[in-house]
Amino acid sequence: MFAIVTDSSANLDYKALSLENITVAPFSYSMNGEEHSCPPVNGFDGAAYYDAMRNGAVVVTSQVTPHVFKEKMTPLLQKGLDVLFVGMSSGISGSYSSAEAAAKELREQYPERNIRLVDTLSASLGEGLLVLRAVELQRQGLDINGVADALLAERYAMDQVFTVGDIRYLGRTGRISNVKAFIGSALDIRPILKGDDEGKIVCCAKVRGRKAALKALADMYDEHAVEPENQVIGIAHCDCMDDVRYLETLLRRNRPPKDIMTVCFEPVTGSHVGPDTVALFFMGSDRNI
């Protein structure tokens, strides 16, 4: 028997996760100096949060510490359960290293237990959909090693592409490695960004105008999605539902997916990509978009 642990970057509803006995380790952040722990997705007022950012609110984020991971994993190990951790990309956060540090200590304390870690190389629903995949594989009867190995292989097929309202948020926090390659917003040039094979954010294309950027996301899906009719794909946004509806229409036009899961970006990841970001997550053949 094994338990699944993830972090709040997975952008999944805590209540739904608790029904699956999934434990969540929360990131934390401060807004204008006031400290917060990431709230449940259904308790997060995304409109108010991103509007505050548009009006100049200063957000500082903190990764999950080894101590928090130990607090979340220890009770599970004490119950005699093995632990599978499915976490945010190590390419954009030090949180995964915190999980590794916690696991090292816990393996010494509970040598009879198996602790497996999966770096999803993704964030938001790129991570969250892989958490749900772990649940599916667990239900099918795979043991912890079978599930972990499957996720480690499938993570390279999780395409994550997005466009932002203002590239400066990513540049300000160092979350994009080739920000200097971006032209800028003077001519309404919009970046198309993706997660690469190291889980880092890179700019892969530029288009003129917001609608063209959303169409570019849909075009990537049309070209690269594998058997979309059997997929639940994901859209995460930072308070821009009109753009989400437009993108959903485009996605259903040519190769409609089985379903679309739409969420507002949780506050920590959302603070790095910024208001008006729209991100699309789906399984492709690889990440060579």
Side-chain angles (χ1 to χ4, degrees), residues 84-89 96 116-121 127 130 144 147-153 155:
L84 170 65
F85 172 67
V86 183
M88 185 184 192
S89 171
Y96 186 77
R116 291 291 306 269
L117 308 180
V118 174
D119 178 355
T120 64
L121 304 176
E127 174 187 349
L130 288 173
I144 185 172
V147 175
D149 292 344
L151 295 185
L152 288 170
R155 62 183 177 169

Side-chain angles (χ1 to χ4, degrees), residues 6-155:
T6 189
D7 54 52
S8 55
S9 166
N11 230 161
L12 297 171
D13 181 81
Y14 287 15
K15 186 176 291 186
L17 291 179
S18 67
L19 293 175
E20 300 291 349
N21 295 314
I22 297 173
T23 299
V24 181
F27 279 78
S28 58
Y29 67 99
S30 68
M31 176 175 271
N32 293 334
E34 184 176 342
E35 296 290 331
H36 304 272
S37 180
C38 269
V41 172
N42 62 348
F44 173 51
D45 187 345
Y49 178 81
Y50 292 111
D51 203 42
M53 287 186 66
R54 293 183 185 103
N55 289 313
V58 177
V59 179
V60 178
T61 63
S62 300
Q63 65 191 43
V64 185
T65 65
H67 176 71
V68 170
F69 278 123
K70 286 175 65 178
E71 279 189 332
K72 296 297 182 179
M73 294 180 181
T74 297
L76 303 170
L77 297 167
Q78 289 175 339
K79 291 178 182 178
L81 297 171
D82 295 331
V83 171
L84 170 65
F85 172 67
V86 183
M88 185 184 192
S89 171
S90 63
I92 54 177
S93 172
S95 179
Y96 186 77
S97 293
S98 293
E100 288 182 314
K104 182 179 179 181
E105 288 187 37
L106 291 171
R107 287 184 183 113
E108 293 174 355
Q109 295 176 35
Y110 301 91
E112 72 284 3
R113 300 266 60 87
N114 188 2
I115 303 174
R116 291 291 306 269
L117 308 180
V118 174
D119 178 355
T120 64
L121 304 176
S122 299
S124 186
L125 289 182
E127 174 187 349
L129 290 171
L130 288 173
V131 172
L132 297 180
R133 176 64 172 157
V135 173
E136 178 186 356
L137 293 172
Q138 186 183 46
R139 285 177 178 164
Q140 291 175 7
L142 271 68
D143 64 12
I144 185 172
N145 290 324
V147 175
D149 292 344
L151 295 185
L152 288 170
E154 292 178 14
R155 62 183 177 169

Side-chain angles (χ1 to χ4, degrees), residues 180-255:
K180 292 182 180 178
F182 178 59
I183 295 173
S185 58
L187 300 175
D188 199 22
I189 303 298
R190 302 295 181 125
I192 306 300
L193 304 131
K194 70 170 187 175
D196 67 10
D197 279 350
E198 295 180 347
K200 296 178 180 178
I201 297 170
V202 296
C203 182
C204 61
K206 302 162 193 171
V207 298
R208 190 184 299 275
R210 178 71 167 182
K211 290 218 166 182
L214 297 171
K215 185 177 182 300
L217 301 184
D219 288 345
M220 290 175 175
Y221 162 84
D222 282 343
E223 182 177 353
H224 295 280
V226 174
E227 298 182 356
E229 67 277 8
N230 297 321
Q231 282 197 53
V232 176
I233 66 173
I235 298 176
H237 68 96
C238 294
D239 188 34
C240 47
M241 274 304 301
D242 287 345
D243 289 333
V244 169
R245 294 187 186 99
Y246 177 66
L247 178 58
E248 288 176 340
T249 298
L250 295 177
L251 295 170
R252 292 190 170 105
R253 182 182 53 189
N254 297 321
R255 305 181 68 202

Side-chain angles (χ1 to χ4, degrees), residues 152-169:
L152 288 170
E154 292 178 14
R155 62 183 177 169
Y156 293 108
M158 178 58 72
D159 284 318
Q160 44 185 347
V161 291
F162 63 105
T163 191
V164 298
D166 190 336
I167 194 69
R168 290 177 299 174
Y169 288 101

